[in-house]
Amino acid sequence: MEKVGTVMKQGKLKNTPEIEFHFKAVLVAAVLAVLLALPGCSPNPEGEAARYRRNAEAVERLISEYPRFGRFLAYENEKARSLWYGAQKTNDRARRVQMILRANEVFYSSPLLGHLYSYDGRRARIRRNVSIIEPYGSDGKFRVRVRRVVKTARTALDRAGRLMSRARPAGEQAAVDLVRRADEMLVRPEALVLRVKKAIRDDKPRQK
């Protein structure tokens, strides 16, 4: 498990991604322990199985999308899959649910998967919101601002994309650090895009 870090900002404690992923892993483990200990509170095996399939499909997509990290993701996938297959071989309902829950926990507690999900989602959001604000760059009061922000966002996407596509991480921690770096490169551009999007939205009532 990677080291948990904190950031102090303006006298307040701010969660870093490492804290959030660590907290999620701890939370999943705690919920798992409670659910399995309480009679009558066993999770639905069909629901957990559906969740496992969605998680496995998401990891397969990430492996295809980010092949430089494929061997590390495949390792996580294989750990979860072995638990999944073990669950299919038992007729004990409680045991089956426990193994499927632990298979899902493999996905939820992986720092690499957590950072990849964050990067992948942020990249998609920036692209989607850039497509929303870009038409306002052709004319109107937001023309200059939109053009500047769109250029900043696309430059950041290109740089982060090159970092990811050229990556040759020697180990899993190096892979985690690299993906974290790429994700951090997009934090400010996303904030700028969202700020412009909000300004355009807030301005619309005044235009009526």
Side-chain angles (χ1 to χ4, degrees):
M1 180 68 69
E2 63 182 304
K3 184 179 179 181
V4 176
T6 59
V7 175
M8 293 298 296
K9 186 175 182 181
Q10 296 179 347
K12 295 182 180 180
L13 187 66
K14 181 181 179 182
N15 281 352
T16 63
E18 292 89 341
I19 288 180
E20 292 172 4
F21 301 143
H22 176 75
F23 175 74
K24 182 182 289 186
V26 172
L27 180 61
V28 169
V31 171
L32 173 63
V34 171
L35 288 175
L36 295 175
L38 293 177
C41 290
S42 179
N44 183 301
E46 289 76 21
E48 290 303 318
R51 186 172 292 112
Y52 168 83
R53 293 189 187 97
R54 289 195 299 271
N55 286 330
E57 288 173 5
V59 172
E60 290 294 342
R61 183 187 68 78
L62 290 175
I63 290 174
S64 175
E65 184 76 19
Y66 307 103
R68 296 287 189 178
F69 304 90
R71 66 189 176 105
F72 305 111
L73 296 175
Y75 174 71
E76 301 286 356
N77 212 13
E78 189 54 39
K79 283 196 298 184
R81 187 181 292 129
S82 66
L83 288 163
W84 167 258
Y85 285 151
Q88 309 314 303
K89 294 177 181 177
T90 179
N91 293 323
D92 186 320
R93 176 188 171 92
R95 173 71 174 162
R96 186 185 314 124
V97 172
Q98 180 183 24
M99 294 185 75
I100 297 175
L101 279 167
R102 294 196 183 283
N104 282 321
E105 185 184 354
V106 170
F107 296 126
Y108 298 143
S109 63
S110 166
L112 179 58
L113 272 173
H115 284 294
L116 263 177
Y117 280 132
S118 179
Y119 169 79
D120 189 67
R122 197 184 309 279
R123 185 182 68 161
R125 291 193 302 273
I126 291 175
R127 288 175 171 173
R128 181 173 64 250
N129 287 318
V130 161
S131 71
I132 291 172
I133 69 172
E134 192 168 22
Y136 295 89
S138 60
D139 194 15
K141 63 186 290 186
F142 293 101
R143 181 179 69 253
V144 175
R145 188 178 175 188
V146 166
R147 288 178 179 176
R148 184 173 63 247
V149 168
V150 166
K151 181 180 180 180
T152 297
R154 286 197 168 134
T155 298
L157 286 169
D158 288 344
R159 288 176 178 170
R162 284 196 299 271
L163 179 64
M164 294 288 284
S165 64
R166 296 174 182 175
R168 294 182 181 276
E172 185 170 359
Q173 186 56 53
V176 170
D177 293 340
L178 198 149
V179 177
R180 183 197 292 117
R181 239 179 87 203
D183 190 30
E184 289 173 349
M185 290 169 68
L186 301 182
V187 171
R188 181 174 175 274
E190 182 182 27
L192 292 173
V193 170
L194 289 174
R195 200 174 300 157
V196 172
K197 180 183 176 185
K198 182 179 185 303
I200 292 171
R201 185 185 61 215
D202 292 347
D203 187 63
K204 283 182 178 180
R206 290 192 287 272
Q207 293 178 357
K208 293 180 180 179

